Amino acid sequence: MAEVSLRNVSKVYKGGIKAVSKVNLGVESKEFVVLVGPSGCGKSTILRIIAGLEEASEGDVYIAGQRVNDVPAKDRNVAMVFQSYALYPHMTVFENMSFGLRLRRYPKSEIVRRVNEAAEILGIKHLLGRRPLELSGGERQRVAVGRTIVRKPLVFLFDEPLSNLDAKMRVQMRTEIHKLHIRLQTTMVYVTHDQVEAMTMGDRIAVMKDGIIHQIDEPMNIYDRPKNKFVAGFIGSPPMNFIDGRIIKKDTKLYFDDGARIKVKIVEDMYPKLLPYLNKEITLGIRAEDIYDRLFVSVAPPENIVRAHCDVYEPMGSEVHLFLSSGKHTFIARVGAYDRPQINQDMDLVFDMSKVHFFDKDTEETLI
């Protein structure tokens, strides 16, 4: 079994700079966990601590049930794929992939068998005689992954391995890495700043900011039930729309009112959580796909209609992104491919109030 466990791990650099703060993370054997967050949030530091390339300032690191704080990187039986590929330019693909095995004095026949097996898995057997400069970016990345496969480690670590590739190749390579995980059935920890990679690849996602894991869960649970405003805004493309306003009461009904042009009725199931915030400042969050063009909605409650100005539309092929403004707020709607409203004209939108989120204005924690 190849579980990875971080218990109250912190990393403080000289000058008191805290990169990671009291992180608790458990990765089950054969699980694919993605650490995602903005640049400088501490995700790569965590990866390096697991690999043994950085020493934790406090806390414990366990791999396969063994505490490895004092175990050198070379003895942890983990393999790391770097952003820069880290290939030796003067060596062939075969020599790059076999380098670690040759250092450990594996028999030649075993080296050849392992390299050919890994090359077959990655579809690079025809490249074994070439050098890195003769390869495309995607091929170099496959070689870097192949170099880790031949070692048959307990844990694979990936540090933003696709960030140097073009958009099309990134899509292809993330699929290949996902298929590789299914085939090898090995524990993998993957670091990225790209939330699309995180959503599509991970069994679970750990969302980080300022050295802290804010939420860890399955991708769709994080998408549908974000713990706070940061997670809600970071996960999702386009990002969630946020509108500041107040909860007001009219007759027996509750409404969200931004004080300008947006006033929408709240569904009754949310009343118990929102009544304590009556007449207080609050933030409404709504995803782009939960805002509809009134012309394409058969039944639209008048209390959920928002008048907005269409500033820009972006056709994306299968859908259209509308960039809108209403009073003091701007937001994005994701509508059907053939919905082409007039630019610089007002239009009626429908907010799906059964799918909105509400956040405390001060703590930014979710309320629903």
Side-chain angles (χ1 to χ4, degrees), residues 6-13 17-24 45-46 49 54-61 69 211-212:
L6 276 65
R7 305 177 187 176
N8 291 314
V9 167
S10 296
K11 177 64 179 180
V12 182
Y13 291 104
I17 300 171
K18 184 168 280 192
V20 175
S21 180
K22 299 289 184 182
V23 163
N24 289 284
T45 301
I46 288 179
I49 289 172
E54 296 271 6
E55 184 179 347
S57 302
E58 60 179 293
D60 298 308
V61 180
N69 289 49
I212 298 169

Side-chain angles (χ1 to χ4, degrees), residues 84-357:
S84 60
Y85 315 138
L87 301 177
Y88 296 106
H90 63 287
M91 293 184 183
T92 65
V93 168
F94 181 92
E95 290 167 339
N96 268 284
M97 290 176 65
S98 64
F99 184 72
L101 301 180
R102 288 186 280 125
L103 282 181
R104 291 170 174 80
R105 300 188 181 279
Y106 276 73
K108 185 175 181 180
S109 59
E110 178 68 7
I111 291 174
V112 171
R113 186 187 69 79
R114 289 198 183 193
V115 170
N116 282 329
E117 184 181 76
E120 186 73 35
I121 290 171
L122 295 166
I124 55 173
K125 206 166 183 178
H126 62 293
L127 303 176
L128 291 176
R130 298 187 190 178
R131 287 180 168 77
L133 289 177
E134 301 172 293
L135 306 177
S136 68
E139 290 168 341
R140 291 179 200 175
Q141 189 60 76
R142 283 186 172 87
V143 175
V145 172
R147 185 177 52 194
T148 66
I149 292 176
V150 298
R151 290 178 50 194
K152 298 187 176 179
L154 286 175
V155 180
F156 284 88
L157 305 175
F158 294 87
D159 190 8
E160 305 209 36
L162 310 185
S163 58
N164 289 335
L165 304 179
D166 61 50
K168 183 178 180 181
M169 185 56 67
R170 280 201 304 272
V171 173
Q172 182 179 340
M173 279 303 300
R174 77 180 184 224
T175 303
E176 293 298 323
I177 292 174
H178 199 182
K179 287 163 61 178
L180 184 67
H181 174 249
I182 294 170
R183 179 165 181 172
L184 297 180
Q185 288 293 291
T186 309
T187 306
M188 294 185 176
V189 183
Y190 188 102
V191 159
T192 181
H193 64 272
D194 185 336
Q195 56 89 22
V196 175
E197 282 183 25
M199 287 290 294
T200 55
M201 297 176 73
D203 297 323
R204 287 189 299 149
I205 302 173
V207 185
M208 292 191 66
K209 180 187 179 187
D210 298 333
I212 298 169
I213 293 179
H214 283 251
Q215 187 172 355
I216 179 166
D217 207 334
E218 295 177 7
M220 288 311 299
N221 285 340
I222 287 183
Y223 188 83
D224 292 332
R225 292 183 286 278
K227 183 180 178 182
N228 56 38
K229 185 179 175 182
F230 167 72
V231 174
F234 193 84
I235 298 295
S237 181
M240 183 180 286
N241 299 292
F242 297 113
I243 302 170
D244 294 331
R246 293 177 180 272
I247 302 294
I248 64 170
K249 191 172 185 180
K250 184 177 179 182
D251 298 326
T252 59
K253 306 298 183 183
L254 293 185
Y255 293 81
F256 174 83
D257 188 352
D258 79 336
R261 298 183 66 183
I262 299 175
K263 182 180 176 182
V264 284
K265 181 176 173 291
I266 297 168
V267 297
E268 293 186 8
D269 288 349
M270 299 180 183
Y271 283 15
K273 296 289 182 69
L274 296 179
L275 275 171
Y277 288 84
L278 191 62
N279 298 318
K280 295 181 181 178
E281 289 190 358
I282 200 171
T283 300
L284 177 147
I286 184 167
R287 295 207 180 273
E289 64 267 28
D290 298 325
I291 302 175
Y292 317 130
D293 186 337
R294 172 66 184 87
L295 293 178
F296 291 83
V297 178
S298 57
V299 179
E303 305 96 335
N304 293 354
I305 294 177
V306 172
R307 190 75 171 165
H309 190 77
C310 184
D311 300 315
V312 175
Y313 76 77
E314 291 183 346
M316 308 295 289
S318 61
E319 62 191 29
V320 172
H321 293 176
L322 304 181
F323 292 78
L324 306 138
S325 56
S326 183
K328 56 186 178 181
H329 289 105
T330 59
F331 47 92
I332 303 173
R334 190 163 73 188
V335 297
Y338 299 103
D339 189 349
R340 303 291 177 89
Q342 291 291 317
I343 302 300
N344 291 324
Q345 297 290 327
D346 283 353
M347 61 182 297
D348 285 332
L349 302 165
V350 180
F351 279 23
D352 188 341
M353 295 301 292
S354 67
K355 296 180 180 178
V356 298
H357 302 258

